[in-house]
């Protein structure tokens, strides 16, 4: 693979993942059953989309590319989500065309509005150590907040599978946040000891 092909692939991969993000949720819901309900509960929430935009920025060297690719990938995901949801609904004899158009317009606009800052925050999370810790904690905090709100406001509606999935995501978000903090503090202490040892040797 030459340099040009590698460059094209570096742009195509995040956009392709945005497309996949949009397809997973409605497809899983259409499958039905316990696995479909659990996967659908995860990927129809807001935090996986925020996580996607954040990670796009995290894995880009350029802040400009982070700000461009993150919202563009989200917009592709939104279009894919509503198109596949509409097609699956039509197979069941439902008319989803009106909701599809309004959903694409609304969430497509929000994808650009929130995607750019999330991509930038992901890029800033590359800062090593404590300096980038706040940015790296953003996704688990969003996941924890969203699932907590869903459990509080929608506890009587969804099935036990969905409620269990949200609870699992919430506890996982807490565990990931604690692990991030512990890893950063441990690295900071290690580097501090190395600097102290170097100064003592000098």
């Amino acid at each position: 693979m030459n340099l040009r092909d590698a460059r094209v692939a570096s742009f195509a991969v995040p956009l392709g993942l945005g497309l996949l993000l949009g397809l997973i949720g409605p497809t899983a819901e259409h499958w039905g059953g316990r696995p479909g309900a659990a996967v659908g509960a995860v990927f129809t929430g807001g935090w996986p989309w925020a996580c996607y935009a954040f990670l796009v920025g995290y894995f880009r060297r350029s802040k400009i590319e982070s700000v461009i690719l993150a919202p563009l990938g989200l917009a592709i995901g939104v279009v894919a989500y509503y198109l596949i949801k509409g097609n699956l609904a039509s197979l069941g004899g439902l008319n989803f065309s009106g909701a599809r158009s309004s959903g694409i317009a609304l969430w497509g606009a929000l994808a650009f509005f929130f995607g750019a800052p999330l991509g930038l925050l992901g890029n800033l999370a590359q800062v090593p150590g404590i300096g980038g810790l706040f940015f790296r904690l953003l996704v688990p905090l969003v996941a924890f907040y969203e699932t907590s709100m869903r459990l509080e406001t929608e506890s009587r509606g969804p099935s036990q599978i969905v409620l269990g999935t949200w609870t699992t995501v919430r506890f996982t978000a807490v565990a990931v946040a604690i692990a991030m903090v512990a890893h950063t503090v441990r690295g900071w202490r290690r580097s501090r000891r190395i600097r102290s040892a170097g100064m003592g040797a000098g």
Side-chain angles (χ1 to χ4, degrees):
M1 180 182 291
N2 57 37
L3 183 61
R4 180 182 177 182
D5 292 338
R7 187 65 173 167
V8 171
S10 72
F11 284 92
V13 168
L15 299 182
L17 291 175
L19 174 64
L20 182 62
L21 177 66
L23 296 176
I24 291 177
T27 303
E29 288 182 332
H30 184 71
W31 286 341
R34 297 172 66 91
V39 174
V42 171
F43 285 94
T44 55
W47 74 266
W49 298 75
C51 180
Y52 162 80
F54 182 89
L55 290 177
V56 168
Y58 184 79
F59 288 106
R60 306 302 298 189
R61 293 183 179 180
S62 167
K63 290 182 174 61
I64 295 177
E65 291 179 3
S66 301
V67 170
I68 293 175
L69 287 177
L72 185 57
L74 283 178
I76 291 173
V78 167
V79 173
Y81 175 89
Y82 280 100
L83 287 179
I84 191 67
K85 194 175 182 71
N87 290 336
L88 293 175
S90 64
L91 292 177
L94 301 175
N95 185 4
F96 193 72
S97 58
R100 177 169 55 189
S101 300
S102 60
I104 290 176
L106 173 61
W107 290 104
L110 291 175
F112 282 99
F113 184 79
F114 289 106
L118 283 169
L120 179 60
L121 290 173
N123 189 273
L124 294 174
Q126 298 177 26
V127 176
I130 296 178
L133 178 61
F134 170 77
F135 302 108
R136 292 191 291 274
L137 287 173
L138 180 63
V139 171
L141 289 176
V142 169
F144 177 82
Y145 176 77
E146 182 188 4
T147 51
S148 297
M149 292 296 294
R150 284 178 177 267
L151 286 168
E152 181 179 347
T153 60
E154 304 176 19
S155 58
R156 296 183 180 179
S159 66
Q160 291 301 313
I161 298 173
V162 174
L163 293 176
T165 302
W166 289 344
T167 302
T168 301
V169 170
R170 184 169 66 164
F171 280 108
T172 302
V174 173
V176 169
I178 292 174
M180 284 182 175
V181 173
H183 176 75
T184 301
V185 171
R186 187 164 56 248
W188 175 75
R189 288 179 175 176
R190 186 185 304 114
S191 62
R192 187 179 179 184
R193 286 197 301 268
I194 293 174
R195 287 196 302 268
S196 299
M199 293 176 62

